[in-house]
Amino acid sequence: MVKVSVTEKIGYGLGDAASNIVFQVVMGFLLYFYTDVFGISAAAVGTLFLVVRIFDAITDPVMGGIADRTNTKWGKYRPYLLWFAIPYGLLAVLAFTTPDFSATGKLIYAYITYTLLMTACTGINIPYSALGGVMTPSPTERASVQSYRFALAMAGGAIVTASMLPLVDFFGQGDEQRGFQMAMATLSVFAVICFVGCFSLTKERVEIPKSTTHNILKGIWLDFAKMLQNDQWRIIALVSLLLLISVAMRGATTPYYVQYYLQQESLITLFMTSGMVAGIAGALSANWLVKRFCKVTLMRISALGIVVANGVLFFVPRDAWEIALVFSILANFTHMIFTPLLFSAVPDTVDYGAKKLGQSAMAMAFSGHLLMIKLGIALGGAFTGWILATSGYQPNIDQSESALNGILFLYSASSVIAGLVVFACMKFYKLTRDFKEA
């Protein structure tokens, strides 16, 4: 047992607060920005989100292999928080910049800037995630570290959801294109500061064995192959994929759900910000609960909570926005109990793989995990764009019944389906508290 101080846990959480500033903008506003501000069709955006992730299938494992083989006076993983912080912030601004191009030019620009932003995301988030696995070898402390991480992540997300649209109005003064650009620039400065704080306040304690393979590409391939052989890692990867598909669909649909389904456009910020605050409460609850109960049991229970809360949302009448708000908050609360426990399971699967397969590549395991998360976000974004287009969605008009049904499916039913499948998958995950102690 290696205890991690509260200060260091908060410091680690600052890294995901920074990441979440961009992540929540992408999840909550990028689809809307592309369709309603930049002028790209929903179907084209859906394809964009999916195609860019194909590139991640290459960059993520390569970044994991490089990070595992990095050796500096600051450690293996911490230096990347400094090296990629500023590029990450600049590329976020460029992604929300709207040059006056033709329709084809706009789409090409979106592909280039979004791809570069996701590459920078890879460069900073894979080492950052691996850092959480080497701050302590204790599974319980790892779960606590991840709980602080996601509490701070939700705090960063709350800052985004509470301030993004007001900043757009403040800077744009009616010009949404300029408003989104300057709002993202403001938030990016805050993100860079948080990354530096994370670097300064954390420490690597668990030594990862050096690779015995001198050929770097061969070593990366061997690490990747052994990761895929790890049956417990595969379960966590599948759960992450399924969960993030639904999260991406629900997150991207929130502005549409509030504006068009509930007909309460002025409440978009309230819905998104209250969800983030509920997420903070959920993550902190996970920190308390995991000290008392097996985290695998908690994951199964919270998966059912996701099903119930989102299931109720499907039947909420359009004129009952107050009820919709309550169950949206509950859905986010249960989801954020599950998420830190899910991330803390990744280093547990690495420990399991070290004993079973002789492989202990922490960043590679997180690179594969984050690849599944990105693929889930991509598929969720693609499905959202395609379903909106297929159901007949048209921006800035009253929506047809078909379009409203598409929005409702994306916002609630998709999470019910995902929650049920995740619950079934967790029955095959065996790294419980008793297993770890055996």
Side-chain angles (χ1 to χ4, degrees):
M1 172 71 75
V2 176
K3 287 283 188 179
V4 180
S5 70
V6 172
T7 299
E8 188 172 358
K9 291 175 183 177
I10 292 173
Y12 182 67
L14 287 176
D16 217 13
S19 293
N20 225 38
I21 286 172
V22 175
F23 177 79
Q24 289 298 334
V25 172
V26 169
M27 289 282 289
F29 296 100
L30 190 58
L31 177 60
Y32 173 83
F33 172 79
Y34 278 152
T35 58
D36 289 35
V37 180
F38 201 17
I40 303 174
S41 72
V45 176
T47 303
L48 161 74
F49 286 159
L50 184 58
V51 169
V52 170
R53 295 309 180 191
I54 297 174
F55 185 62
D56 285 336
I58 300 173
T59 58
D60 280 22
V62 170
M63 187 64 231
I66 291 173
D68 280 326
R69 288 160 177 79
T70 299
N71 291 288
T72 74
K73 64 181 180 180
W74 298 313
K76 285 180 175 291
Y77 310 122
R78 288 173 62 237
Y80 290 95
L81 296 170
L82 292 182
W83 297 340
F84 277 89
I86 292 177
Y88 190 69
L90 290 175
L91 288 167
V93 177
L94 289 177
F96 281 87
T97 297
T98 54
D100 187 17
F101 293 158
S102 65
T104 301
K106 288 180 178 180
L107 190 57
I108 292 172
Y109 178 84
Y111 266 94
I112 292 173
T113 53
Y114 186 56
T115 300
L116 290 175
L117 176 59
M118 290 302 99
T119 302
C121 176
T122 294
I124 201 165
N125 277 294
I126 287 175
Y128 168 73
S129 295
L131 173 62
V134 297
M135 290 169 63
T136 172
S138 165
T140 300
E141 276 294 282
R142 283 171 174 169
S144 180
V145 167
Q146 295 296 333
S147 297
Y148 275 86
R149 168 188 178 174
F150 283 99
L152 269 293
M154 290 298 98
I159 291 171
V160 168
T161 55
S163 64
M164 187 66 183
L165 294 181
L167 285 173
V168 170
D169 292 338
F170 175 77
F171 287 114
Q173 297 294 310
D175 182 354
E176 281 194 307
Q177 292 185 346
R178 174 173 172 77
F180 269 99
Q181 181 190 47
M182 295 305 298
M184 194 68 252
T186 302
L187 293 172
S188 292
V189 171
F190 182 74
V192 171
I193 294 171
C194 287
F195 277 131
V196 174
C198 179
F199 170 84
S200 302
L201 294 172
T202 55
K203 183 179 180 180
E204 298 183 22
R205 295 180 179 85
V206 179
E207 185 176 352
I208 301 297
K210 293 183 179 180
S211 173
T212 57
T213 305
H214 297 293
N215 185 312
I216 294 179
L217 291 179
K218 182 180 179 181
I220 291 174
W221 171 250
L222 290 174
D223 287 350
F224 184 75
K226 285 191 175 183
M227 176 189 72
L228 294 180
Q229 294 174 31
N230 187 323
D231 59 306
Q232 296 302 290
W233 180 89
R234 292 198 303 266
I235 293 171
I236 294 302
L238 177 59
V239 166
S240 300
L241 174 66
L242 295 169
L243 194 66
L244 265 295
I245 289 174
S246 66
V247 168
M249 293 169 76
R250 191 172 186 274
T253 311
T254 300
Y256 301 91
Y257 176 76
V258 179
Q259 179 175 345
Y260 296 114
Y261 188 83
L262 298 179
Q263 298 178 305
Q264 299 288 340
E265 182 178 2
S266 63
L267 299 181
I268 292 176
T269 296
L270 173 62
F271 267 74
M272 299 183 80
T273 304
S274 61
M276 293 298 153
V277 174
I280 296 172
L284 292 177
S285 296
N287 178 55
W288 181 81
L289 290 168
V290 77
K291 296 175 182 178
R292 293 159 177 80
F293 306 100
C294 172
K295 66 183 175 184
V296 179
T297 300
L298 292 174
M299 292 169 78
R300 292 169 180 163
I301 294 173
S302 57
L304 290 178
I306 292 171
V307 171
V308 172
N310 285 283
V312 172
L313 276 170
F314 190 80
F315 299 99
V316 173
R318 293 183 64 190
D319 59 353
W321 69 264
E322 297 92 344
I323 298 175
L325 177 62
V326 169
F327 282 94
S328 293
I329 290 172
L330 289 175
N332 280 2
F333 175 79
T334 53
H335 166 71
M336 285 311 300
I337 291 177
F338 189 95
T339 300
L341 303 177
L342 177 65
F343 272 71
S344 72
V346 177
D348 294 346
T349 67
V350 174
D351 293 343
Y352 169 81
K355 295 176 181 178
K356 183 177 180 180
L357 304 168
Q359 185 248 25
S360 184
M362 188 69 71
M364 179 59 73
F366 272 104
S367 74
H369 180 241
L370 290 178
L371 177 59
M372 290 298 101
I373 288 175
K374 289 182 182 180
L375 181 59
I377 294 171
L379 288 171
F383 290 151
T384 301
W386 295 337
I387 290 172
L388 285 175
T390 302
S391 64
Y393 168 78
Q394 296 292 328
N396 303 312
I397 63 170
D398 292 334
Q399 302 302 318
S400 66
E401 184 177 354
S402 173
L404 291 174
N405 287 335
I407 291 170
L408 183 59
F409 172 83
L410 289 165
Y411 190 72
S412 66
S414 61
S415 294
V416 173
I417 296 169
L420 288 172
V421 180
V422 165
F423 177 78
C425 289
M426 289 305 300
K427 288 183 175 294
F428 298 95
Y429 184 73
K430 62 186 181 183
L431 303 185
T432 62
R433 178 179 291 179
D434 291 338
F435 182 90
K436 295 299 294 181
E437 293 173 352

